[in-house]
Amino acid sequence: MSYSAIPKTYAAAFADASSSPEEAEQELDSIVGIFRVEPLFRNFFDTPAVKREEKEAVLIKIFQGKISELTLNFLHVLLRRGRFSFLSEIHDALKEELDRKAGRVRAKVRSYPLLSETELSKLREVLKERFKSEFILEVKEDPSLIGGFVVRFQDLAIDGSMKNQLRKVRQTLLDSKLPVGVVYEN
């Protein structure tokens, strides 16, 4: 099994075992969020010097009663099988799996200036019409674009940025051959 297949396999198994995959995804989202903001907590689980039993005891102490038994058992399975380091990737794969089943697509939108709610709604509608899927847009402001926006999802990119347009104009000018000795006057 390749490493890229591990998160997908565990995510699919977790989704299939759950009676409410969306709630399970929210629980994993919270847990992954804790690991992101608390690096010491993450390091504790990543350190091979800490015994698995100690890690399991910490999981029980922190999460029992706060997350479902299924999610807690899933975390124990990841620990026992040495796959806990894939938790973030499993979470991402679970989101992708649930989105695929629901006909949703997550897209990252970078824009400058930040798009308004009206503009985002229009963009969402255009994408829905063109690609026949519901879109969840993750928006981020990026001043390096100079203006406009870039949308990325799956293996596609839609680049409507001023930076890209200027790059195309520059390339067109570089590619055009001017005759030697031609002088332009105003």
Side-chain angles (χ1 to χ4, degrees):
M1 179 181 305
S2 73
Y3 280 110
S4 63
I6 290 171
K8 290 179 183 177
T9 302
Y10 279 89
F14 186 53
D16 290 344
S18 178
S19 59
S20 176
E22 286 77 17
E23 286 179 27
E25 189 274 325
Q26 288 176 348
E27 289 181 338
L28 273 188
D29 190 48
S30 297
I31 294 164
V32 168
I34 292 169
F35 283 115
R36 285 189 182 130
V37 297
E38 295 294 337
L40 292 175
F41 190 58
R42 179 62 188 220
N43 290 342
F44 173 80
F45 284 95
D46 286 344
T47 303
V50 178
K51 294 180 181 175
R52 188 185 80 222
E53 293 80 17
E54 291 177 58
K55 294 175 184 179
E56 288 178 345
V58 168
L59 281 179
I60 291 170
K61 185 175 181 180
I62 293 175
F63 294 116
Q64 193 163 35
K66 295 177 183 142
I67 61 174
S68 67
E69 282 298 312
L70 175 74
T71 303
L72 188 58
N73 289 338
F74 181 69
L75 294 175
H76 284 289
V77 167
L78 293 178
L79 273 174
R80 287 185 201 116
R81 297 204 175 158
R83 303 292 193 218
F84 205 83
S85 62
F86 289 100
L87 184 61
S88 182
E89 291 86 355
I90 291 168
H91 175 248
D92 292 342
L94 179 64
K95 285 195 294 190
E96 286 177 17
E97 177 72 12
L98 296 177
D99 287 345
R100 186 187 60 74
K101 286 181 178 179
R104 295 183 304 245
V105 175
R106 289 185 189 269
K108 294 187 186 296
V109 179
R110 294 182 302 126
S111 68
Y112 188 76
L114 202 56
L115 297 176
S116 69
E117 283 304 316
T118 306
E119 293 167 325
L120 286 172
S121 294
K122 178 69 175 165
L123 177 60
R124 200 175 283 112
E125 286 302 314
V126 168
L127 291 169
K128 179 180 179 180
E129 184 179 310
R130 173 74 172 95
F131 295 99
K132 311 294 186 236
S133 293
E134 290 294 323
F135 276 79
I136 299 170
L137 303 178
E138 299 172 12
V139 184
K140 181 178 165 186
E141 188 173 45
D142 184 355
S144 74
L145 297 177
I146 304 170
F149 63 90
V150 176
V151 179
R152 291 187 183 277
F153 59 96
Q154 296 166 343
D155 59 348
L156 297 174
I158 301 168
D159 194 336
S161 68
M162 183 63 72
K163 180 179 179 179
N164 186 46
Q165 291 173 20
L166 289 171
R167 185 188 53 77
K168 286 180 181 178
V169 167
R170 180 181 184 273
Q171 192 59 47
T172 301
L173 291 172
L174 289 172
D175 290 345
S176 65
K177 303 278 186 193
L178 293 176
V180 176
V182 174
V183 176
Y184 293 98
E185 295 183 21
N186 288 336

